[in-house]
Structures are given as C-alpha cells and as structure tokens.
Amino acid sequence: MSKELLCICMLVFFFAVMIYVGLYSRKHATDVNGFVLGGRGVGPWLTAFAFGTSYFSAVIFVGYAGQFGWNFGLASTWAGLGNAFIGSLLAWNILGRRTRIMTQHLDAKTMPDFFGKRFDSVPLKVAASFIVFVFLIPYTASLYNGLSSLFGLVFDIPYWVVIAIMAVLTGVYVIFGGYMATAINDFIQGIIMLFGITAVIGAVLVDNGGLVEATKELASIEGDAGWAGAYSSFLGPDPLALLFVVVLTSLGTWGLPQMVGKFYAIKSENDIHKGTVISTVFAIIVAGGCYFLGGFGRLYSDNVVINEATGKPLFDTIIPTMLSTLPAVIIAVVIVLVLSASMSTLSSLVLTSSSTFTLDVIKPMKKDNMSEKKQVSTMRIFIVFFILVSAAIAIFKDSHPQVTFIAQMMGVSWGALAGAFLAPFLYGLYWKGVTKASTVVCFVWGCGIALLQLYITLTQADISGWGTVLAYIFKSSINSGVVAMVGGLIIVPVVSLFTAKQSKEKVDEIFACYDDKTEVPVKEHLK
C-alpha cells in the first residue's frame, strides 16, 4: 500500500471517530456546566489525558523538539522531564485539589471568573478575560505550525487545505459535544500520541544503527558549541539557557487557563490521585520522548533546510527531515500523531477562549439575564469565531513570511499568560492575604514584560547598553517569560503586604470550603 493511500485510510478513520464522539457527547452539553466543565464529573483517565494532550501539541513535537534538540542535543530531554515532574506532577499535587474545591465553592467556571469572585471584582474578571483573548489567539494560531512540512512528506496539497480540514473537524466535535467531547477525543488522541512517539523513536534509532551508534555519532559533532561531545553531554552546551527552557515550559502551565481549567472538572478526591500518576507518566513518555528524539537532529544536518538570513536551520523542518527516510507506516502514524496533538490542544484553547469571553465579558454586559441555552449558543458561536480567526492568522502568516509580528506574538503568548496569572492564582488558592491590588500589578507586570519583549524583537532594538542582566533577560521570549513568572511570584506577596486587604468575613467565607466536613467509605480513608 502506498504512503498516500495508507495515510488517507488512517486519517479518514481518525476523523470519523472524532466526529462520532462529538455527536455522542451532545447529551453532556445541554447547559453551561455541562458544556464547559462536563458537569464536574470527569474521571481521572479523561482528565489526565485532557491535561496532557492540551499541554503537548505540534508546537512541541515539531517546533520545540527540533529547535531545542538542535541547540542542546540529548540534554533537551531535561525539558521533557521538567514538563513531567514540574508541569504535571507538581501542578496536580499543588493546584489540583484546591482548584477543584474552591472553584466549585465560588461557582467559577473559568480562570477570569475565579479572579472576579476570589477578589470580588468584576473589572478584574473583565481584564483577565481580555488578556486571555489577546494572548490565546496567536497561541492558537501557532498550533498549525509544522503541519505543512509534515503533510508535505506525503501529500502534494496546499497548506491552507490542511489548516481548513483541521479547523473544521475540531470545530464540529467541540461545538456539538463541548468539554466532554474534547475530553473523550483527548483520551483517544493521547493513546495515539503514546504509541506514535514510541514507534517514531524506535524507527529513528534503528535508522541510525541503534541507540549506542547514534549517540557515538552525535558525540563526534562539534557544531555551534565548538567542542565534541557537547550534544551528547549531561547538561548540553548551554546549561543556563536550558534551565530557562525547562522553567518556562514546565512552570508556565500553572498559569495557563486551558490547563488549570482541567482541574475544575475532575470528579472526586480519588480521581485526583489517579490523575496525577497518569498525567505524569503520559508526560514522561510524550514530552520526554519528543525532546529525546529532537536531540538527534544534528545527525541530519546535511539535509535540513537552512535559513539564508540567519545561517541557522529552519527548526520546523528538522523533525520532518528526520522522518523522511522512515517506512510509510511510520510516516502515516506520525501524520496522525501530530494531527492528534494539534487538534487536542486546539479544541482546549478554543473552548477556553469562547467560554471565557461569553461568561466573563458578554454575559455581564447583558442587562437581562442570559438563559443557559443562550449562553451555550453564544459559546458555540465564539468557538466558530476563534477557530476561523486562528486559521486565518496561520494561513496569512504562511503566505506572508515577511510579516514577523504574528510569529513573535506567538512567542510571547505563553510568557504573558503565565506571567500575569500564575502568581495570583496560586497564592489565591492558599493565602488569605492576597489583595486585589497585587493581582492588578501582576497582570500589568506579566503583560508589560511580554509586550516589551515583543517590541524589542520586532524593532531589533539595541539593548546592549541596558546592562548584562537586562540584555540577557530580553535576549529571547523564553528568558523574559521566565522572569515574568518568577517576578510575579515575588511581586504578589510584596504588594499584598502594603495594600488594602479584603474584608475578613469575605475571605473567611471563601476559604471555609476547605473546612467542610465530608464522610467517605473506609476503603478511601482509614479511621
């Protein structure tokens, strides 16, 4: 069977399953709670896979694995392990349970809604909603990156066709089934990702003579590092830069609304424990596997496409170049793998964006109360809107490579969202002393750092005179994103010490949710 026919058969079956799940899940999407949170009754396997597949998209598999694997070699695997143990294990342990309890107590369905009710401020909720809207759109558009070069291995079709197919199919199952359809499809897509990344790593290593021979060859390459063995060493050629990558891609998930939102919907205490283990194992295999695979990218340096302007490779072409010599069945699996990764993240992002904008912006603006049916209908309309806008941006970016604003905007989105939200959300779950003023300052801080980074990158501003530290911080959106997050963790408690507190009665009532007594069977808790 030819590559084209094999891929077509697998894709048709994959798409049919996705649409069936969307239609099947309609019964769970009749009201707002069901459409946005699956009725807060989603089990550990679905929640854990939804968390993992929202975390890891084509941006990770094609873009980051290629870029960081090229820059750091096998040491880039640390980024995958950081994603597993910081971005998944610690996130579930520190945020999962408290997020589920407090958001249910406050009846908060989105992250901006949490800020509004936790700090008793509608303007804060609206501001958070606009931050989500501004920075999630370009992040959503980035999910299509890499699909063109991968599909080019098999099909001779325009890039816009690939984008259109992915956008339409994702829209169909999210619009019909809401969160439950997204969670079920995420589980299916997660299984594909687990088996897919394992098969691809095995095939690439066999293609290079096995793990030992591939590592030996990698150890002989000097590359940009200037010394042999840099790309097979424990910490790679630039440990500090690697640390910034690990922190941004791992700790950043704690402040992303589409990630934290998964904790809102989980069913029970026991499910949180199970979900923690499942999510961590999933991240070790998928994220660790992606970065480990990318670490061998320099073995294909003779074939990768070089950017003539910078003299560096086009990072999105490295992974496709590695796969181009593999058997047809492996390429077909990769096509479905990357499509699964992208569609799962896309569905999570557009559901987050539409629910946030509907519940936190549109609904408060309406003088008359919106019925549940009207709210769900409005969210469905905005799902279509967000998918169309993100697809249009991706197509425009591909056809106008000279327009760098979009690409740079995508780069700062993660840092802006995590820089603005991580600290006030985390402290807001644990500390009664967090103030509204500190949250506002953190919003301004996170977005300000991101926009300053965007300005510097677009204008190629000379920052050498700013001093060694500042020059290093704004050297890339990765570095500035880490500073935005870590700075927020310092700013919020400091500003909270000197600004007006919420009333004690209000805060005590909010935190009373943690003191509620519950009775459970002995099998779940010893006497």
Side-chain angles (χ1 to χ4, degrees):
M1 186 181 291
S2 67
K3 280 194 297 188
E4 292 84 356
L5 184 58
L6 183 61
C7 284
I8 289 172
C9 291
M10 292 181 69
L11 287 173
V12 168
F13 179 74
F14 172 73
F15 292 148
V17 172
M18 297 300 103
I19 293 174
Y20 170 77
V21 168
L23 296 174
Y24 167 79
S25 303
R26 285 182 298 175
K27 60 185 178 183
H28 297 286
T30 55
D31 59 11
V32 172
N33 196 45
F35 191 82
V36 177
L37 300 175
R40 294 189 192 264
V42 184
W45 284 91
L46 293 185
T47 302
F49 272 67
F51 186 90
T53 55
S54 297
Y55 197 163
F56 311 117
S57 66
V59 176
I60 299 288
F61 184 78
V62 178
Y64 281 5
Q67 177 181 349
F68 300 141
W70 184 273
N71 290 339
F72 306 117
L74 292 182
S76 64
T77 307
W78 283 112
L81 296 178
N83 294 172
F85 294 108
I86 300 174
S88 297
L89 179 64
L90 274 181
W92 276 74
N93 276 300
I94 294 175
L95 298 179
R97 187 172 179 277
R98 282 193 168 245
T99 298
R100 174 66 172 79
I101 294 170
M102 186 174 283
T103 56
Q104 183 174 20
H105 178 67
L106 295 175
D107 192 28
K109 298 179 177 65
T110 66
M111 183 175 271
D113 195 21
F114 169 83
F115 287 129
K117 291 175 177 175
R118 170 64 179 83
F119 300 105
D120 195 24
S121 173
V122 173
L124 200 62
K125 178 172 74 171
V126 174
S129 301
F130 276 102
I131 292 173
V132 171
F133 175 78
V134 169
F135 289 103
L136 269 193
I137 286 288
Y139 180 39
T140 304
S142 71
L143 298 177
Y144 302 99
N145 285 357
L147 289 176
S148 176
S149 51
L150 277 175
F151 272 75
L153 292 175
V154 180
F155 303 109
D156 184 21
I157 56 177
Y159 182 39
W160 70 266
V161 175
V162 178
I163 293 176
I165 292 172
M166 176 178 158
V168 169
L169 289 168
T170 304
V172 167
Y173 76 74
V174 178
I175 289 168
F176 277 111
Y179 183 83
M180 187 59 74
T182 299
I184 295 174
N185 275 333
D186 284 351
F187 179 75
I188 297 169
Q189 291 158 352
I191 295 294
I192 294 171
M193 291 166 68
L194 286 173
F195 282 100
I197 191 62
T198 305
V200 171
I201 291 172
V204 169
L205 291 179
V206 169
D207 192 48
N208 286 277
L211 175 60
V212 174
E213 290 302 317
T215 306
K216 282 182 180 178
E217 187 177 349
L218 190 64
S220 66
I221 298 173
E222 290 188 4
D224 304 327
W227 51 283
Y231 301 106
S232 60
S233 63
F234 187 67
L235 294 176
D238 191 346
L240 182 59
L242 178 60
L243 176 63
F244 274 84
V245 170
V246 172
V247 173
L248 180 73
T249 60
S250 303
L251 189 61
T253 60
W254 296 28
L256 299 181
Q258 75 275 14
M259 301 297 296
V260 175
K262 302 297 184 290
F263 299 135
Y264 289 35
I266 198 164
K267 187 176 181 179
S268 70
E269 175 85 20
N270 194 39
D271 289 344
I272 292 176
H273 298 308
K274 291 178 181 177
T276 302
V277 176
I278 297 166
S279 177
T280 303
V281 173
F282 182 89
I284 290 173
I285 297 173
V286 174
C290 283
Y291 288 112
F292 177 74
L293 175 68
F296 292 99
R298 285 186 179 264
L299 299 183
Y300 299 81
S301 57
D302 292 339
N303 299 318
V304 298
V305 180
I306 302 297
N307 185 333
E308 295 180 0
T310 63
K312 296 182 178 181
L314 294 173
F315 294 122
D316 285 355
T317 67
I318 293 174
I319 297 297
T321 299
M322 297 173 68
L323 303 174
S324 60
T325 60
L326 299 182
V329 65
I330 297 297
I331 293 177
V333 168
V334 171
I335 296 292
V336 178
L337 182 161
V338 175
L339 199 62
S340 298
S342 297
M343 289 177 67
S344 59
T345 308
L346 177 64
S347 63
S348 177
L349 290 174
V350 297
L351 185 60
T352 299
S353 300
S354 63
S355 59
T356 295
F357 208 68
T358 300
L359 300 177
D360 304 327
V361 178
I362 302 299
K363 184 182 177 184
M365 290 172 59
K366 291 283 187 179
K367 294 182 179 178
D368 56 325
N369 290 327
M370 293 178 70
S371 65
E372 292 271 322
K373 185 176 180 180
K374 191 169 183 180
Q375 290 177 56
V376 172
S377 298
T378 304
M379 279 187 275
R380 286 179 166 137
I381 292 171
F382 275 110
I383 286 172
V384 175
F385 170 76
F386 285 118
I387 287 179
L388 287 176
V389 170
S390 64
I393 291 174
I395 293 171
F396 180 81
K397 174 178 172 286
D398 183 68
S399 58
H400 296 78
Q402 71 277 13
V403 179
T404 59
F405 174 81
I406 295 171
Q408 301 305 334
M409 186 70 173
M410 292 171 184
V412 302
S413 294
W414 186 299
L417 290 164
F421 294 152
L422 188 157
F425 184 81
L426 174 62
Y427 287 123
L429 293 174
Y430 280 88
W431 184 32
K432 294 182 179 181
V434 183
T435 65
K436 179 171 67 175
S438 71
T439 304
V440 172
V441 172
C442 196
F443 283 6
V444 174
W445 164 261
C447 295
I449 290 287
L451 293 175
L452 179 57
Q453 175 68 64
L454 184 64
Y455 169 78
I456 291 170
T457 306
L458 288 177
T459 61
Q460 297 295 307
D462 182 12
I463 59 175
S464 58
W466 291 19
T468 305
V469 175
L470 285 177
Y472 189 82
I473 289 173
F474 291 101
K475 177 183 177 181
S476 71
S477 57
I478 293 173
N479 295 1
S480 60
V482 170
V483 170
M485 289 189 297
V486 175
L489 292 172
I490 298 170
I491 286 171
V492 168
V494 170
V495 175
S496 294
L497 292 175
F498 300 100
T499 50
K501 306 291 189 292
Q502 288 179 271
S503 69
K504 185 177 184 302
E505 293 77 13
K506 177 67 176 177
V507 176
D508 286 344
E509 190 278 326
I510 291 173
F511 277 78
C513 61
Y514 297 135
D515 298 323
D516 288 345
K517 299 292 188 294
T518 59
E519 293 184 5
V520 297
V522 174
K523 66 180 180 180
E524 296 183 16
H525 194 283
L526 296 175
K527 291 183 179 179

